Amino acid sequence: MNVGIVGGGQLGRMLALAGYPLGARFRFLDPAEDACAAPLGSHLAADYDDEGALAGLAEWADVVTIEFENVSVEALERITGTVPVHPAPGSLAVARDRLEEKTLFDRLGIPTPAWAAVDDRAGLERAARTIGLPAVLKRRTLGYDGKGQEVVGDEGDLGAAWDRLGNLPLLLESFVAFDREVSVLAARARDGSTAFYPVSENTHEEGILRVSVSRPGDPAAEPARELSGRILDALDYVGVLALELFEKDGELLANEIAPRVHNSGHWSIEGARASQFENHLRAVLGLPLGDPSPVGLAAMVNFIGEIPPVEQVLAIPPAHLHVYDKAPRPGRKIGHATVRADDERELRTALDPLLELVGLPARSTRSRPPASGR
Amino acid sequence: MNVGIVGGGQLGRMLALAGYPLGARFRFLDPAEDACAAPLGSHLAADYDDEGALAGLAEWADVVTIEFENVSVEALERITGTVPVHPAPGSLAVARDRLEEKTLFDRLGIPTPAWAAVDDRAGLERAARTIGLPAVLKRRTLGYDGKGQEVVGDEGDLGAAWDRLGNLPLLLESFVAFDREVSVLAARARDGSTAFYPVSENTHEEGILRVSVSRPGDPAAEPARELSGRILDALDYVGVLALELFEKDGELLANEIAPRVHNSGHWSIEGARASQFENHLRAVLGLPLGDPSPVGLAAMVNFIGEIPPVEQVLAIPPAHLHVYDKAPRPGRKIGHATVRADDERELRTALDPLLELVGLPARSTRSRPPASGR
């Protein structure tokens, strides 16, 4: 089974690690010569949208998938005649454009923060009056890790936000002073069957995910799964999809979807019976889905910009290290560690020193409203 | 961290899968062009003892280890000036020669079946008289999966056994009608610290391991660990070592050691907090050992000669598939599946259909005295 992956970053790397035991082989399309997934398969060093490279990938592969959604939908559509592409380019088209995404949420009756499309300076003024301030101005496409968005506190901020982002199609969203952020990872197989992971409770800083905690039995699980299921079915989706939500006064508001395995599900490698990576591959390969139920409790801490001393991470008994073999750079995700434990006390005992190693205060895993509403 | 591995089979493959998350990269020395570990790293296609290839591996690697013990000790010793080699060639010298191995067991007061070295036809007669029959005539070196041994039922069998094996140094061992076979996997770090896995209860057929069941809390655990600890310390061993034992009337008799990760520890990928593969790498890389304690119950079933339909394996919810991507051949280990479960009932429910898929009777996981005493 040959799996072609568009993108060769850490998600591709972890897909390959989960996929070799299933009997798969991997080829990555990634322009970076040092793409960190490359040692785990063969590497096509070309642009994501390079027609020749995509055609070559399609020729070699039994299925093509992505680990990075900012790919040209048109380029992917061109290879669908040669090879199955999962998730389908149409799903990517929705997920990579906040306007399409919000329109889908509305159509499916999925609550979101108030929002309005912004195409010009006057449109921004109108949107601000309609949905009220504070709000967050976001690029419709190509945003990630909090990049491409500006908080607009009051009318005086509108001009500066426009100057910074106004060269691209935008969306203004009401700022939500949420109680917490959660996400739900789900897999949907080719036959329409689904598997939902326990919700992840996520803590971001400066728009970058820092900590995700698996919350088996969380009260948000059922409503989150129900919302995710609507999206999966509406898109006739195949693969793993992440749905990020704000929780405010017990209500869930959809923030965004990611049409791929997701950082907030990395804990599933050790903390679920079948990880998100394995289930993504099972789904796109047309195999039965694995059991997403939890194996104890788990929490993941990202390593941003630097990896703490490996000996110190590994000296925490329930800690599992995941180094991505990427060049360190400020703000760059270059690894993570997961703590898996049998009970809350053990989890806490292991998580606190791990948080300390990355400079986060102990017991900082409940999310607080950050400066940005993300 | 560059890890050079002598051998590129499934053990190398699983070492690499466990090692990438630690930040390691891999190079395999294996003469087979289709070595199944090769897609997971770079591949030196040369004989295990090829001086130039070994020198190249030593130059590239931060540490060299093995996944296959039938390597020339002299060839490995030559590179120890360039790169650390773990386990040390001296440990391999003991483990690959049954005479050295039994001599070590005797020196350490570790009980074994009665044995005698056999160097010629007359020596075989003497040995048979000394230790009695039935017995098993074994090659001192290069035996594996029950190959290179002959059961000698009575004096009339001596001639035929000699004719089949007598061209090499031999050992005659008393045939043990054991109650069961167990093994204990242990890791020893560079600083001498150790980690012991729960004992595995093993079922062989025709000399080939078919099923291993992790037995947390087994009464054999403490004595098995104590015996293993003696060997690890005596050899100043670094890495994972397997000790295989016969149990007869509540007594443990050492059968053999393997100076590497071992088939009877494959269940540890899902069934232990840190797998044997991770702990072997942690040990040889000079990192702290991971926690070998069990995560629930686990049992592994080997796929010999053929892989059952993948969809059927994966449809058993707690089953984890491990395909080695090797060409199928009768008697060849080409994959395994592990069932991990929270309790005995769940384990049983999943294990029985898995056994059925490979043509073994359900509940066949207690070992019985086979035709050969192994």
Side-chain angles (χ1 to χ4, degrees):
Chain A
M1 299 184 297
N2 291 343
V3 179
I5 301 188
V6 180
Q10 67 265 23
L11 302 180
R13 188 173 156 98
M14 289 185 274
L15 283 167
L17 289 171
Y20 277 103
L22 298 174
R25 294 194 178 196
F26 293 87
R27 186 162 290 178
F28 304 97
L29 172 59
D30 194 302
E33 286 296 342
D34 64 348
C36 75
L40 280 151
S42 52
H43 180 199
L44 288 170
D47 279 341
Y48 304 115
D49 302 338
D50 183 293
E51 275 195 47
L54 274 171
L57 191 68
E59 195 59 45
W60 174 84
D62 298 307
V63 64
V64 165
T65 188
I66 56 140
E67 60 100 74
F68 173 73
E69 69 266 43
N70 291 324
V71 178
S72 151
V73 170
E74 296 70 32
L76 276 183
E77 266 167 354
R78 273 195 291 276
I79 62 169
T80 55
T82 314
V83 67
V85 177
H86 296 298
S91 298
L92 300 190
V94 172
R96 68 194 297 276
D97 182 334
R98 293 184 193 277
L99 178 58
E100 298 271 348
E101 186 179 53
K102 290 287 197 295
T103 304
L104 176 71
F105 291 159
D106 280 3
R107 178 160 75 77
L108 299 176
I110 294 173
T112 67
W115 64 273
V118 172
D119 293 317
D120 52 34
R121 184 70 172 80
L124 177 57
E125 303 281 346
R126 275 197 307 278
R129 278 193 303 274
T130 313
I131 71 168
L133 296 180
V136 189
L137 188 62
K138 299 180 175 182
R139 285 164 61 163
R140 273 175 50 186
T141 60
L142 302 175
Y144 71 99
D145 283 353
K147 291 180 178 63
Q149 44 184 275
E150 295 288 332
V151 177
V152 181
D154 56 39
E155 287 188 14
D157 294 340
L158 285 173
W162 176 258
D163 289 344
R164 275 195 284 270
L165 298 175
N167 55 334
L168 285 163
L170 300 170
L171 210 73
L172 191 69
E173 289 179 28
S174 187
F175 181 97
V176 179
F178 52 76
D179 300 319
R180 60 173 185 157
E181 293 177 283
V182 297
S183 58
V184 60
L185 275 292
R188 188 169 181 275
R190 289 193 193 174
D191 68 2
S193 59
T194 49
F196 296 95
Y197 288 89
V199 294
S200 305
E201 190 178 280
N202 305 322
T203 307
H204 289 80
E205 282 196 0
E206 294 169 5
I208 302 179
L209 182 67
R210 299 301 302 265
V211 180
S212 281
V213 182
S214 162
R215 295 287 186 202
D218 193 282
E222 272 317 299
R225 288 167 187 209
E226 195 273 322
L227 298 178
S228 167
R230 281 189 226 175
I231 299 164
L232 291 169
D233 289 339
L235 296 174
D236 193 17
Y237 192 88
V238 175
V240 162
L241 178 129
L243 169 62
E244 292 189 82
L245 301 145
F246 299 132
E247 188 181 87
K248 172 74 179 162
D249 302 329
E251 297 288 314
L252 294 176
L253 299 174
N255 177 26
E256 62 185 24
I257 57 176
R260 52 168 168 78
V261 289
H262 190 259
N263 196 169
S264 67
H266 289 0
W267 60 261
S268 65
I269 296 174
E270 293 88 6
R273 290 184 160 214
S275 76
Q276 65 165 344
F277 301 100
E278 177 172 349
N279 262 334
H280 182 72
L281 291 168
R282 289 197 189 201
V284 305
L285 287 165
L287 296 169
L289 296 180
D291 182 353
S293 59
V295 180
L297 302 174
M300 182 228 56
V301 177
N302 269 339
F303 298 144
I304 313 286
E306 62 180 333
I307 308 264
V310 160
E311 297 76 10
Q312 290 182 38
V313 175
L314 294 176
I316 301 170
H320 296 271
L321 178 67
H322 296 267
V323 169
Y324 305 154
D325 205 1
K326 288 164 73 173
R329 208 153 61 205
R332 192 180 205 201
K333 293 175 180 173
I334 59 172
H336 75 267
T338 296
V339 171
R340 199 212 62 82
D342 291 335
D343 56 48
E344 188 73 39
R345 190 165 155 276
E346 189 192 10
L347 188 77
R348 212 58 262 183
T349 305
L351 189 53
D352 284 351
L354 184 58
L355 291 168
E356 198 175 319
L357 280 178
V358 298
L360 290 173
R363 295 170 191 271
S364 66
T365 57
R366 294 295 296 209
S367 34
R368 299 138 299 157
S372 132
R374 287 197 73 253
Chain B
M1 298 184 296
N2 290 344
V3 179
I5 302 188
V6 180
Q10 67 266 25
L11 302 180
R13 188 173 156 99
M14 289 185 274
L15 282 167
L17 290 171
Y20 277 104
L22 298 173
R25 294 193 178 196
F26 293 87
R27 186 163 291 177
F28 305 97
L29 172 59
D30 194 302
E33 286 296 341
D34 63 348
C36 76
L40 280 150
S42 51
H43 180 199
L44 289 171
D47 280 341
Y48 304 116
D49 303 337
D50 183 292
E51 274 195 47
L54 273 170
L57 191 68
E59 195 59 45
W60 174 83
D62 297 308
V63 65
V64 165
T65 188
I66 57 141
E67 60 99 73
F68 173 72
E69 68 267 42
N70 291 325
V71 178
S72 151
V73 170
E74 296 69 33
L76 276 183
E77 265 167 355
R78 273 196 291 277
I79 62 170
T80 55
T82 313
V83 67
V85 177
H86 296 299
S91 298
L92 301 190
V94 172
R96 69 196 295 276
D97 183 334
R98 290 185 195 277
L99 177 59
E100 297 271 348
E101 187 179 54
K102 289 288 197 294
T103 305
L104 176 72
F105 291 160
D106 281 2
R107 178 161 73 78
L108 299 176
I110 294 174
T112 67
W115 64 273
V118 172
D119 294 317
D120 51 36
R121 184 71 171 78
L124 177 57
E125 303 282 346
R126 276 198 306 277
R129 280 195 301 274
T130 312
I131 70 169
L133 297 178
V136 189
L137 187 63
K138 298 181 174 181
R139 284 165 60 163
R140 273 175 51 186
T141 59
L142 301 174
Y144 72 99
D145 283 354
K147 292 181 177 63
Q149 44 185 279
E150 295 289 331
V151 177
V152 181
D154 55 39
E155 286 187 15
D157 296 340
L158 285 172
W162 176 258
D163 289 344
R164 275 196 284 271
L165 297 174
N167 55 334
L168 284 164
L170 301 169
L171 210 71
L172 190 70
E173 289 179 28
S174 187
F175 181 96
V176 179
F178 52 77
D179 300 319
R180 59 174 186 156
E181 293 177 284
V182 297
S183 57
V184 60
L185 275 292
R188 187 168 180 276
R190 289 193 195 175
D191 68 1
S193 58
T194 50
F196 296 94
Y197 288 89
V199 294
S200 306
E201 190 177 280
N202 305 322
T203 307
H204 290 81
E205 284 196 0
E206 294 169 6
I208 302 179
L209 183 67
R210 300 301 302 265
V211 181
S212 282
V213 182
S214 162
R215 294 286 187 204
D218 193 281
E222 273 315 301
R225 288 168 187 209
E226 196 274 321
L227 298 177
S228 167
R230 281 190 226 173
I231 298 164
L232 291 170
D233 289 339
L235 296 174
D236 193 17
Y237 192 88
V238 175
V240 162
L241 178 129
L243 170 62
E244 293 190 80
L245 300 146
F246 299 133
E247 189 181 87
K248 171 75 180 161
D249 301 329
E251 296 289 313
L252 295 177
L253 299 174
N255 177 25
E256 61 184 25
I257 56 176
R260 54 169 168 76
V261 290
H262 190 259
N263 196 170
S264 67
H266 289 0
W267 59 261
S268 65
I269 296 174
E270 294 88 7
R273 291 185 160 213
S275 77
Q276 64 165 345
F277 301 100
E278 178 172 349
N279 262 334
H280 182 72
L281 291 168
R282 289 197 191 202
V284 304
L285 287 165
L287 296 169
L289 296 180
D291 183 354
S293 59
V295 180
L297 301 174
M300 182 227 57
V301 177
N302 268 340
F303 299 144
I304 314 286
E306 63 180 332
I307 309 265
V310 160
E311 297 75 9
Q312 291 181 39
V313 176
L314 294 177
I316 300 171
H320 296 269
L321 178 68
H322 296 266
V323 169
Y324 305 154
D325 205 1
K326 288 164 73 174
R329 208 153 60 205
R332 192 180 205 201
K333 293 174 180 172
I334 59 173
H336 75 266
T338 297
V339 171
R340 200 213 61 82
D342 290 335
D343 56 48
E344 188 73 37
R345 189 163 157 276
E346 188 192 10
L347 187 77
R348 213 60 260 184
T349 306
L351 188 54
D352 284 349
L354 185 58
L355 292 169
E356 198 176 321
L357 280 178
V358 297
L360 290 174
R363 295 172 189 270
S364 66
T365 57
R366 293 294 296 209
S367 34
R368 299 137 300 157
S372 134
R374 286 195 73 253

